[in-house]
Amino acid sequence: MDQLIQLAIELVKIVVIAVVVLVFMMVAVLYMVLKLRWVIARIQSRLGPNRTGPWGVLQTVADALKLLQKEDIIPCGADKWLFTIAPALVFIPAYLVYVVIPFGRGMAPSQLAMTHSLGEIGKLPGLSIGVMYLSAISSIGVIGIVVAGWASNNKWSLLGAFRGASQLIAYEVPIILAMVVPVLVSGSMDLSAIVDKQAGGFWHWNLFQLQAGPALPIAFLMLIIAGLAEINVTPFDIMEAESELVAGFNTEYSGMKFALFFLAEFAAAFTLAAIITTLFLGGYNPPLAFLGGQLSGLAFSAVSLFWFLAKCWVLVIFIMWVRSTLPRVRVDQLMNLAWKALIPVGLVNLLLAGAYVTFWMAK
Amino acid sequence: MLAKDFLTIGIFALFGIAFIVITLIASWAVRPHRPSDAKLSTYECGEIPIGPAWTQFRVGYYIYAIIFLIFDVEAIFLYPWAAQLLGFKNNHAMMVMGFVDMVIFVAVLSVGLAWAWKKGVLEWK
């Protein structure tokens, strides 16, 4: 009986964590969409949303409520079931990725789920296959996009879906080759362990580390370029290129199903920022020791949460800046960049990192 | 430890499904439902759609997918190798052997990529 109650408490705890993560994700996405519109407006010398609520901050909330009430149109001849499942196939992986992201020391949702007391925070390891889990789960989304395009029975959607699939799979390989380098240098796939290895000042961050020669900075650049393609933002938004494909794979979607695609897309943008921060920018470690590094226990966990979110936010703004500045590339340029530039460079970079680890770091 | 991690992931997945079901039901409850023929036809820039969209498509996508498959399977070998290499710190001969193994593995992969490149598979026509 006692064990049953224990189990029930455990389950409730995990569900509470799941709710908190979901709420965080929704709030982050609502604010990111708003910020994106402000940033793009500023770059294009116009005002952006400024009417709904003070300074327009309620604009995206109003948009979300509007989408909730929109009529849901399933076009005739569409595959009804696949049409409905597709948004879930895109949304759920984007949400599941958050399980392993170390938001602060000991604050990855998978770690919190196993923590039984406040004193235990920061003492538990994260998911031991963290990096592999990230790349495995985030690639499920491609299936959802192909399903959405196929089920719509619309030529634009189908074209967008095939383009999207070829783009996403092409850029997954450079991402894998880039993420493997920090794993190689840290000797662990656990994201928390990788972050803890970067403790100290900002010169300990993987981006500025030369213990693997130039391999880490090169991997960082590769991850940013391929990551932008993977989250499908403007220089690489071939699969929903408005001027060519109407709206790509989600042309026929409306209402809440469209909102789920939208949510997943922006959640993925935040995930990219979080992955780059974790693997290369010291994760939740403060940039200089006196900015929180001297703290310990719970106080450090709180400060680390702040630094993690701050770094992610800087990267998110950077992504928006890129997105509103660069023109779209052509499909053939996009495929060539992945297969003829990033992947060969990535393979050489991997061997370079391996050589440095074997013949230099081990000494 | 790992089993409990996957329990967490499983509960997250179930919760994600529940969230989608709840939002879709909520939107079903508040939204209007007034379909018409014009509304339900697929969008083809305002014209009446010609034929179904489920037709043949370029074979090029298929070839890219096959090359991708090779590299994706590689990832399964790559990550455990990368996580373990530094673990042989105290046994340098073992480490060198691990490195040489990866050089051979990557060389075989590169030959495949180079062959595809030379065959013109990577040209987007």
Side-chain angles (χ1 to χ4, degrees), chain A residues 33 65 125 336:
Chain A
V33 176
L65 287 177
N336 284 349

Side-chain angles (χ1 to χ4, degrees), chain A residues 226-261:
Chain A
L228 284 173
E230 194 75 4
I231 61 170
N232 185 31
V233 298
T234 286
F236 304 111
D237 66 340
I238 280 301
M239 65 168 147
E240 49 175 274
E242 294 91 344
S243 50
E244 305 166 24
L245 291 180
V246 188
F249 69 96
N250 57 19
T251 304
E252 291 296 340
Y253 279 87
S254 60
M256 214 49 219
K257 289 176 192 158
F258 172 75
L260 286 173
F261 279 124

Side-chain angles (χ1 to χ4, degrees), chain A residues 228 233-238 322-324 326-330 334:
Chain A
L228 284 173
V233 298
T234 286
F236 304 111
D237 66 340
I238 280 301
V322 170
R323 163 174 197 159
S324 47
L326 297 179
R328 182 180 300 135
V329 299
R330 275 198 329 258
L334 183 87

